[in-house]
Amino acid sequence: MLIPLSGSYLKLKPRRECCTLQVPVWAPQTSKYLNRIYMVQSRSFGSSAINIPRNPSFAKLNSDDISYFRSIIGDKNVIEDEDRLSAANVDWMGKYKGSSQLLLLPKSSEEVSKILHYCNSRKLAVVPQGGNTGLVGGSVPVHDEVIINLGLMDKVVSFDKINGILVCEAGCILENLNSFLENEGFIMPLDLGAKGSCQIGGNVSTNAGGLRFIRYGSLHGTVLGLEVVLANGTVLDMLGTLRKNNTGYDLKHLFIGSEGSLGIVTKVSILTPPKLISTNHAFLACQDFISCQKLLLGAKRALGEVLSAFEFMDSHAMDLVLSHLDGVRSPLPASLYNFYVLIETNGSDESYDKTKLEAFLLRSMEEGLILDGVISQDINQSSSFWRIREGISEASVKLGAVYKYDLSLPLNNLYDIVEEMRARLGEAAKVIGYGHLGDGNLHLNIMTSRYDDDVLAQIEPYVYEWTSKHKGSISAEHGLGLMKANEIHYSKSPETVQLMVDMKKLLDPNGILNPYKVLPQSFFN
Ligand code: FAD
Ligand code: MLT
Ligand code: ZN
């Protein structure tokens, strides 16, 4: 269905007529929810994670185990139903698939504690699961691990309106938390395309970055406290609500980004920023990557405190979205330009913010950094800009197989790897580059119609070696999961990895928490 626009874009007129801004007719698309992909591949691909043998020291589930779980969390939350299990066994991309026979849905930290205490004593391996939107195979079992999903732990515990501090259970869905806060005049400090499904516990456990990172920074900064259940069932109360608290080691940081390998996050205390009244969005076209880079530096300088997002995508990513997602239209003529940038400002003075943004855009056009662009005039237009950017993951999986890389790189050569991979793979694959340019975070997606070992061998380890050589990180925000557990050495020194292994063994001596993920399996054989 085409939804008519309520108004046209603001047409910017450069003082020097070097280029024009378009006012096209197009249809906005505001759906924020994810379309799940259930087309499962027969093998798990990605790095060398394929064919991991089951750790024989783990026990196999029996009927006594099921009876025990029923006695502590109730019959209806012990799931053995095939359909529900098959959805929980496969990841969002349909790429990683386990064979768990049991899904547990605890309702409280005490229930999580009892489950883990029992699993630890029985040596039953478990996989903590949130919204199952992770992109590195961390949220699904590799073999028959028991799945513990926090979805029923979805209550707000408290909201301190004076200090903007939210305390909630780990199973709260990010978008629901944001809606709750908006009613109180606040917002969540993070936002991502998976907001309609991902849980705050999953966000904390992956240290998710997302679209507001440029403005509000990492969860290591905004998370004030956590409640975590350890492998032996101990409930670790670190649920502080203070900004400053230098009393010994700040252990919550160990669990932020540990991808369920050290404990299950059950409650989160987080600092939330006030909701500001004025938001502006510009969708822009640039000739080359260097222009995007210069535009970012200019935006940071000129827009300063109101800059709240700076996202980019290449024309290949744009084409992919336009040709694979229904109802999505480009606000700019597609295929004419090489790069697109989405800028968001968020401030407290509508006319000041708008004037500031327009002046910056006009100046940038005159300097030739922007070839074409539009400023949204209403919320539908803004949503449509975001739909294009947030739709890239969804469009990518429609091609069949996605080899997904999430790299942190110095800005000056951030895009080079995309061009190199395109040249390296030729016609064999479609290669796109996009991401959170404001944070130096490139998403490199390589798509083929089906997973293929020869294609994989062309990509890996080349992409990891290249990243390491350029002083980047092989995971900016998605984590290591199953996909990159064996590749951690590209971004961390041997001594650091050894200390991580020691900590894992200290906190989880039986290795029951999310086995085969994050750290190389060779340390645990
Ligand atoms: P899951 O996928 O269920 O789990 C992720 C990992 O965390 C697993 O290792 C799991 O074992 C562990 N885990 C989950 N819950 C808990 C818990 N309570 N305690 C301990 N461990 C737990 N990521 C970004 O960083 N930035 C983005 O912009 C972004 N955009 C995305 C857009 C789309 C369309 C999709 C599909 C994904 C995107 N992601 C992004 C990846 C993903 O959404 C994030 O990693 C998210 O934080 C995962 O949350 P989840 O609740 O779905 O966790
Ligand atoms: C994004 O920024 O869109 C996400 O990290 C998801 C992805 O890259 O697929
Ligand atoms: Zn991202």
Side-chain angles (χ1 to χ4, degrees), residues 216-234:
Y216 299 115
S218 154
L219 288 171
H220 281 289
T222 50
V223 169
L224 302 180
L226 293 179
E227 180 187 82
V228 176
V229 182
L230 299 180
N232 64 7
T234 303

Side-chain angles (χ1 to χ4, degrees), residues 436 443 477-478:
H436 317 287
H443 293 311
E477 59 174 11
H478 296 163

Side-chain angles (χ1 to χ4, degrees), residues 410-483:
L411 266 190
N412 49 334
N413 44 26
L414 182 138
Y415 193 73
D416 294 353
I417 182 68
V418 183
E419 284 167 339
E420 281 195 32
M421 288 315 300
R422 208 168 271 142
R424 197 176 158 86
L425 293 166
E427 295 297 303
K430 185 164 179 60
V431 179
I432 63 170
Y434 62 100
H436 317 287
L437 193 63
D439 316 324
N441 183 177
L442 170 75
H443 293 311
L444 164 70
N445 284 6
I446 298 170
M447 280 86 62
T448 51
S449 56
R450 48 184 290 279
Y451 288 106
D452 184 309
D453 284 336
D454 293 335
V455 173
L456 185 64
Q458 293 250 72
I459 306 171
E460 297 181 20
Y462 184 85
V463 70
Y464 297 133
E465 286 166 355
W466 192 98
T467 303
S468 188
K469 193 170 96 196
H470 290 85
K471 309 249 174 301
S473 166
I474 61 161
S475 171
E477 59 174 11
H478 296 163
L480 296 170
L482 180 63
M483 178 190 177

Side-chain angles (χ1 to χ4, degrees), residues 155-364:
K155 315 282 175 310
V156 169
V157 177
S158 64
F159 181 60
D160 168 356
K161 228 178 151 159
I162 297 176
N163 296 295
I165 295 166
L166 172 76
V167 180
C168 64
E169 291 183 316
C172 291
I173 288 176
L174 180 61
E175 189 166 53
N176 294 347
L177 288 177
N178 203 61
S179 306
F180 166 84
L181 287 171
E182 288 208 24
N183 283 333
E184 304 287 335
F186 289 80
I187 57 168
M188 286 298 278
L190 78 159
D191 183 26
L192 40 139
K195 56 179 137 317
S197 305
C198 65
Q199 301 174 4
I200 189 67
N203 301 147
V204 167
S205 301
T206 52
N207 188 24
L211 309 161
R212 292 182 183 157
F213 189 101
I214 189 173
R215 176 70 165 266
Y216 299 115
S218 154
L219 288 171
H220 281 289
T222 50
V223 169
L224 302 180
L226 293 179
E227 180 187 82
V228 176
V229 182
L230 299 180
N232 64 7
T234 303
V235 181
L236 208 58
D237 180 357
M238 304 173 289
L239 203 58
T241 51
L242 301 170
R243 301 269 333 251
K244 300 177 91 173
N245 184 2
N246 284 350
T247 47
Y249 311 130
D250 199 344
L251 292 179
K252 67 172 184 283
H253 290 294
L254 258 189
F255 299 91
I256 300 175
S258 68
E259 301 179 59
S261 64
L262 298 179
I264 297 193
V265 174
T266 42
K267 290 196 186 87
V268 177
S269 154
I270 189 163
L271 186 64
T272 68
K275 178 177 157 68
L276 304 179
I277 50 154
S278 132
T279 306
N280 292 294
H281 292 95
F283 200 87
L284 311 163
C286 300
Q287 173 66 30
D288 46 27
F289 182 68
I290 189 87
S291 302
C292 300
Q293 217 185 90
K294 287 183 179 163
L295 195 65
L296 169 64
L297 299 184
K300 282 185 172 170
R301 203 172 282 279
L303 303 175
E305 77 292 350
V306 297
L307 181 63
S308 53
F310 194 106
E311 297 288 317
F312 94 109
M313 71 191 85
D314 63 18
S315 59
H316 302 264
M318 173 69 123
D319 287 347
L320 187 78
V321 172
L322 297 182
S323 45
H324 287 90
L325 298 189
D326 290 341
V328 180
R329 301 275 179 279
S330 172
L332 299 173
S335 350
L336 268 189
Y337 306 109
N338 295 323
F339 291 90
Y340 297 87
V341 166
L342 198 176
I343 294 181
E344 181 188 85
T345 65
N346 186 224
S348 49
D349 185 325
E350 232 161 276
S351 72
Y352 170 82
D353 294 351
K354 208 170 195 126
T355 310
K356 205 161 147 165
L357 177 65
E358 284 172 15
F360 164 65
L361 294 179
L362 284 175
R363 226 175 22 252
S364 303

